[in-house]
Amino acid sequence: MTDAHAPTLAATPPPPALDLIFASTTVLGEGMPIRRALPTRLRRMVGPWCFLDHFGPVDVASGKGMRVGPHPHIGLQTVTWLYEGELLHRDSLGSLQLIRPGQLNLMTSGQGISHSEESPQPRSPRMHGLQFWIALPDAVSAQAPAFEHHPELPVVMHEGLRCTVLVGEALGARSPAKMHSPVVGLDVEMSAATTASLPLDAGFEHAALVSEGEVLVEGQPLQPGALLYLGGGRESLALSTSGRARLALIGGQAFAEPILMWWNFVARSKAALGAACREWNAAEAKFGEVLGYDGGRLEAPMPPWNV
Ligand code: MN
């Protein structure tokens, strides 16, 4: 192996599956209801993907919109993808970045970073989007934090599907987003009734989430509010719609390193998660400082094993 940072990966992908997993509803930041599709009791990860929030579509013309005050991350990358509206990202590296539909924000926590997210002023009347976390392999989780904004991503038309490659590679196109393990993320847009076969990497496991309309995925009706876990070993995916619809497809090599999650942290031990909570609440320098957010920083809830 020539890449010193390559993670230890499962040799064989899991078998094909068609498991419908309902998202839970929760509240993000200062009162925005969202659907959380990962992690759930039935499924913790899909490849390295370990968190998936679907927010909106929601009217943000009045009220505060989305407001998530300064908070830290370790052990992961955050991926933000909007269908409608705008979000303003600030982080402890000094980034101040507005994101719009069709663009990608990618924040790599490395050893520690903090950020805030808010609906800007002025703004579009509706917001709709996804935020994912991707677990970092242990070998790279201690590296320096980084932030990337990609204003344009590769778009490939395939059998009536408009596919945007968010991360990884698909349909001969590669996203510029810097990844650290074998992974893919696609936005698949169908503007009218469509029947298509989307090629997949059989060495990956995959899951699909519909954000708009209804899609028959391998014959299984899928609507907003659920994640369809597809397993591995699939060369292609049968997609069919009777009208306009939109779907996110995530996948990757099954993540062979067991991870632990608490609050906004991904680590390998309970001790590391507890330490991250203490360090953030003590405002230690490793997480830096977010400047300019009009509100307070979030406090880490101490884990029950470390009170
Ligand atoms: Mn965050």
Side-chain angles (χ1 to χ4, degrees):
M1 188 158 298
T2 55
D3 182 354
H5 295 311
T8 310
L9 294 163
T12 50
L18 214 53
D19 300 337
L20 195 61
I21 298 164
F22 289 95
S24 60
T25 53
T26 184
V27 171
L28 184 67
E30 298 178 20
M32 172 160 291
I34 55 106
R35 300 181 177 108
R36 183 155 296 158
L38 278 179
T40 62
R41 194 171 51 81
L42 294 174
R43 174 140 300 272
R44 311 300 297 176
M45 298 181 84
V46 178
W49 302 87
C50 60
F51 181 93
L52 170 49
D53 271 358
H54 178 197
F55 47 89
V58 60
D59 183 343
V60 292
S62 59
K64 294 186 284 190
M66 183 184 282
R67 283 180 56 80
V68 183
H71 62 277
H73 289 287
I74 59 169
L76 58 88
Q77 295 178 289
T78 65
V79 175
T80 307
W81 173 252
L82 295 181
Y83 300 115
E84 293 180 82
E86 307 87 16
L87 275 177
L88 183 62
H89 163 96
R90 304 173 193 267
D91 67 39
S92 52
L93 303 173
S95 311
L96 177 63
Q97 183 66 56
L98 189 71
I99 180 173
R100 299 177 191 282
Q103 306 179 334
L104 192 80
N105 274 1
L106 175 70
M107 189 178 78
T108 304
S109 72
Q111 64 198 354
I113 196 167
S114 54
H115 73 144
S116 64
E117 291 153 299
E118 65 200 273
S119 295
Q121 197 66 262
R123 58 177 176 258
S124 302
R126 291 205 337 158
M127 187 176 58
H128 187 196
L130 301 174
Q131 185 170 93
F132 310 93
W133 298 352
I134 298 175
L136 285 172
D138 207 30
V140 298
S141 62
Q143 70 181 20
F147 176 74
E148 298 173 22
H149 173 72
H150 296 287
E152 287 182 40
L153 294 168
V155 176
V156 182
M157 291 302 302
H158 174 80
E159 298 180 9
L161 310 173
R162 184 180 190 273
C163 299
T164 305
V165 186
L166 311 185
V167 305
E169 186 173 1
L171 301 165
R174 171 163 282 279
S175 163
K178 185 172 184 191
M179 293 288 111
H180 298 275
S181 66
V183 61
V184 69
L186 288 181
D187 171 57
V188 181
E189 211 174 345
M190 293 141 277
S191 57
T194 304
T195 295
S197 173
L198 181 67
L200 298 182
D201 185 330
F204 284 6
E205 59 177 347
H206 293 91
L209 178 131
V210 168
S211 60
E212 180 185 348
E214 180 181 85
V215 184
L216 289 178
V217 182
E218 294 290 328
Q220 167 70 51
L222 188 61
Q223 297 174 338
L227 183 77
L228 185 61
Y229 176 68
L230 299 160
R234 293 182 184 274
E235 302 281 351
S236 66
L237 194 64
L239 299 176
S240 176
T241 70
S242 57
R244 179 173 168 74
R246 203 154 178 183
L247 171 146
L249 182 86
I250 58 175
Q253 280 188 5
F255 204 69
E257 303 174 11
I259 68 164
L260 294 175
M261 292 174 67
W262 176 260
W263 196 45
N264 293 303
F265 302 128
V266 170
R268 300 297 182 276
S269 71
K270 288 182 172 181
L273 294 173
C277 291
R278 280 196 307 278
E279 288 161 358
W280 168 254
N281 288 346
E284 288 194 9
K286 69 179 282 186
F287 293 112
E289 192 178 352
V290 179
L291 299 177
Y293 182 80
D294 178 22
R297 74 206 291 277
L298 307 185
E299 180 155 352
M302 290 308 295
W305 60 84
N306 209 339
V307 287

